[in-house]
Amino acid sequence: ITIRGVSIDGKRPIIEGSVDTVEVTGDHYVFENIEITGASKRCFFHHSHDVLLKNVFIHDCKNGLLGADDDSGSLTIEDSEFARSGDGIHHHQIYMATDEKAHPGSLFTLRHSFIHDGLGGNNVKSRAEKNLIVENWIEGAKYHEVELVGPDGAAPTLAREDGEVVGNVLYKKSDFH
């Protein structure tokens, strides 16, 4: 299933509001050329497999994108922007997880994207089994620009297998002048 926005006067269609602005529970989705904003909890809630976000702008949410511990598999983000999301230490711009039992070998890919000006937490936090973070500009997190950690609460035999962070710009803005 492909959900593709058609720009008018250079502006993407906007999906706005609710507790979860977009919640994906089915597999094999493409979301392209849309803006997602205004969720009280999660702008994009991912618990599905084989999902592509391309040329999306996700902003101004408690969690920009949250991958569930259960039923989440591979997710690819390309040519996208995340801004002004996060809150405290537990809510992030991107917080990815994968379910290694339901979707073994799942891969979180973040490529050619701009993640900036987080309001709390990390810009990119991942508990995915595998991570590929390539050629992004990531700046202005409250805590870490990128944090890769093992699966949440999983058995040691289901530990994250690998992660590649290649060719990114990670810029920590200082509050000190």
Side-chain angles (χ1 to χ4, degrees), residues 12-176:
R12 299 176 186 106
I14 299 170
I15 303 172
E16 183 174 5
S18 191
V19 174
D20 297 321
T21 303
V22 175
E23 181 175 1
V24 182
T25 59
D27 297 344
H28 316 296
Y29 273 87
V30 175
F31 292 86
E32 185 174 359
N33 197 44
I34 57 175
E35 184 173 333
I36 304 170
T37 188
S40 63
K41 198 166 187 182
R42 300 168 283 230
C43 265
F44 193 93
F45 187 30
H46 170 262
H47 46 106
S48 51
H49 176 64
D50 187 31
V51 174
L52 170 64
L53 300 176
K54 185 173 176 117
N55 190 30
V56 299
F57 180 30
I58 295 178
H59 61 93
D60 299 295
C61 298
K62 192 168 191 175
N63 288 287
L65 179 143
L66 180 66
D69 290 330
D70 297 323
D71 301 324
S72 59
S74 292
L75 173 76
T76 299
I77 301 170
E78 291 183 343
D79 305 316
S80 294
E81 181 178 358
F82 288 74
R84 300 178 307 275
S85 292
D87 181 43
I89 61 173
H90 299 290
H91 306 285
H92 312 279
Q93 299 236 58
I94 297 172
Y95 188 169
M96 185 58 192
T98 58
D99 183 338
E100 295 176 66
K101 292 179 182 174
H103 301 287
S106 291
L107 174 64
F108 168 54
T109 303
L110 176 63
R111 180 177 24 239
H112 306 141
S113 294
F114 181 34
I115 297 89
H116 60 96
D117 299 311
L119 298 179
N122 303 316
N123 272 336
V124 179
K125 180 173 183 166
S126 180
R127 293 184 178 279
E129 181 177 351
K130 297 179 182 180
N131 296 280
L132 179 60
I133 300 173
V134 179
E135 298 175 354
N136 302 284
W137 187 287
I138 305 171
E139 71 173 35
K142 176 78 173 175
Y143 296 105
H144 303 293
E145 303 311 321
V146 175
E147 181 182 28
L148 304 179
V149 293
D152 193 12
T157 57
L158 297 175
R160 186 183 73 237
E161 291 184 13
D162 57 30
E164 295 181 42
V165 180
V166 180
N168 298 280
V169 174
L170 305 176
Y171 179 65
K172 187 67 178 170
K173 292 181 179 181
S174 174
D175 291 335
F176 305 104

